Amino acid sequence: MTLILNTWIFESDVKSGTKQADLVDRVAKLGADGIEVRREYFTDLDSELPEVAKRAKTNNLIVNLSVPDVVFEDDGSLNPKLDEYFKEGQILGLKKIKFNTGHFDRFTGDLKKDFARFPLDEIEMNVENDQTAVSGKVSTIKTFLTAANSAGLTSLGYVYDMGNWGFTHGDAEQAAKELAAFTHYIHLKNVINNNGELTTSDDLDRGMFDWRALLKLLPSDQYYALEYPMATDAQISSQIKLFKDEVGA
């Protein structure tokens, strides 16, 4: 079992000016196996990317990157920024990089040829169910990854984001069943439904999802990440313990 802490956990600190590089040591002290940095949280990529990599190496931590951008543009073309994102990933020394699928339904190229320029043997590429009507659907993700596998791009995978199924009003259980074979990474967060108003919970045990039951539908040998804001390190530690006690780590 590999547990990652997504830096959304430290949202209040980031908003107050804390750099993600300064969170690396903290993640290590909390006992996680790695850190998932968010591209939108960087303010100076040139200085921060190598610093995250340096501190992660010192602490023997895995680094993953969440990129809030699509693989396929509105017209179906491949996002021209992907090359830049992978270069940033190489500086970070990434294990995994995560995007949203976008409009693969309009793609007319050759997947194997078009993806050959990316260092997929070095950095695993994943797509996640986000909170949009386009990329937050089982059919979008399944169609893309099925086509990618058929093209020989078998290393491409899926990030099952539990909480996002609440915001898209999707069926989290059915999604787990249909996408389990593609799942390489699991983002854990619960969602509170207060008379139709949805908010992200700060406790896995509080919300609309039975996270324990959903995990049983998904591969148990993949990466997991906690991805929801928490107020204190004590709370983070308690949530890590809650998760590890369940998965038997």
Side-chain angles (χ1 to χ4, degrees):
M1 190 280 298
T2 301
L3 180 63
I4 311 294
L5 296 185
N6 183 287
T7 54
W8 190 25
I9 287 174
F10 310 102
E11 180 183 38
S12 61
D13 296 287
V14 172
K15 285 183 175 179
S16 298
T18 300
K19 304 293 186 186
Q20 289 186 102
D22 296 326
L23 297 171
V24 176
D25 295 343
R26 193 168 162 192
V27 166
K29 288 176 183 176
L30 285 162
D33 301 299
I35 183 170
E36 181 171 17
V37 290
R38 303 176 72 92
R39 192 178 187 275
E40 68 270 28
Y41 280 180
F42 288 114
T43 56
D44 182 356
L45 290 164
D46 289 342
S47 65
E48 292 178 62
L49 295 181
E51 186 63 22
V52 168
K54 176 184 174 183
R55 295 196 189 188
K57 187 174 182 179
T58 299
N59 285 285
N60 196 30
L61 286 183
I62 293 163
V63 183
N64 294 336
L65 175 64
S66 170
V67 181
D69 204 352
V70 295
V71 179
F72 300 96
E73 299 283 301
D74 287 349
D75 63 358
S77 63
L78 210 56
N79 187 342
K81 294 181 181 178
L82 290 174
D83 297 281
E84 177 185 346
Y85 297 147
F86 273 101
K87 286 176 183 176
E88 292 167 1
Q90 289 176 313
I91 294 170
L92 284 165
L94 292 188
K95 289 289 186 182
K96 298 176 185 284
I97 191 167
K98 176 188 72 69
F99 304 103
N100 303 315
T101 308
H103 275 288
F104 176 64
D105 57 320
R106 299 170 183 167
F107 177 70
T108 58
D110 181 319
L111 279 175
K112 187 172 184 178
K113 181 180 178 181
D114 291 348
F115 277 65
R117 67 179 190 264
F118 304 132
L120 299 178
D121 56 337
E122 180 184 342
I123 300 172
E124 182 184 275
M125 176 179 171
N126 290 279
V127 292
E128 179 186 69
N129 57 295
D130 66 6
Q131 296 180 16
T132 69
V134 174
S135 302
K137 294 166 63 175
V138 170
S139 59
T140 299
I141 296 160
K142 193 172 184 179
T143 300
F144 167 53
L145 291 177
T146 298
N149 283 356
S150 296
L153 302 170
T154 55
S155 65
L156 269 63
Y158 163 58
V159 180
Y160 177 88
D161 189 300
M162 187 178 296
N164 282 350
W165 292 117
F167 290 97
T168 57
H169 306 289
D171 186 327
E173 181 177 339
Q174 187 61 33
K177 291 176 181 177
E178 288 198 46
L179 296 170
F182 301 106
T183 301
H184 290 186
Y185 195 8
I186 299 165
H187 274 185
L188 291 163
K189 58 175 176 273
N190 216 329
V191 177
I192 297 169
N193 186 344
N194 185 13
N195 296 320
E197 182 181 344
L198 301 179
T199 55
T200 300
S201 175
D202 64 356
D203 184 341
L204 278 180
D205 275 345
R206 192 163 61 97
M208 60 196 291
F209 297 116
D210 182 345
W211 63 277
R212 294 175 178 84
L214 289 170
L215 286 187
K216 290 176 182 177
L217 301 173
L218 295 163
S220 59
D221 57 346
Q222 302 298 345
Y223 285 17
Y224 300 88
L226 300 185
E227 190 198 25
Y228 45 96
M230 289 181 259
T232 65
D233 283 8
Q235 183 182 11
I236 298 168
S237 294
S238 70
Q239 289 289 291
I240 290 174
K241 183 178 186 303
L242 174 71
F243 170 74
K244 287 187 172 182
D245 285 350
E246 179 61 31
V247 298

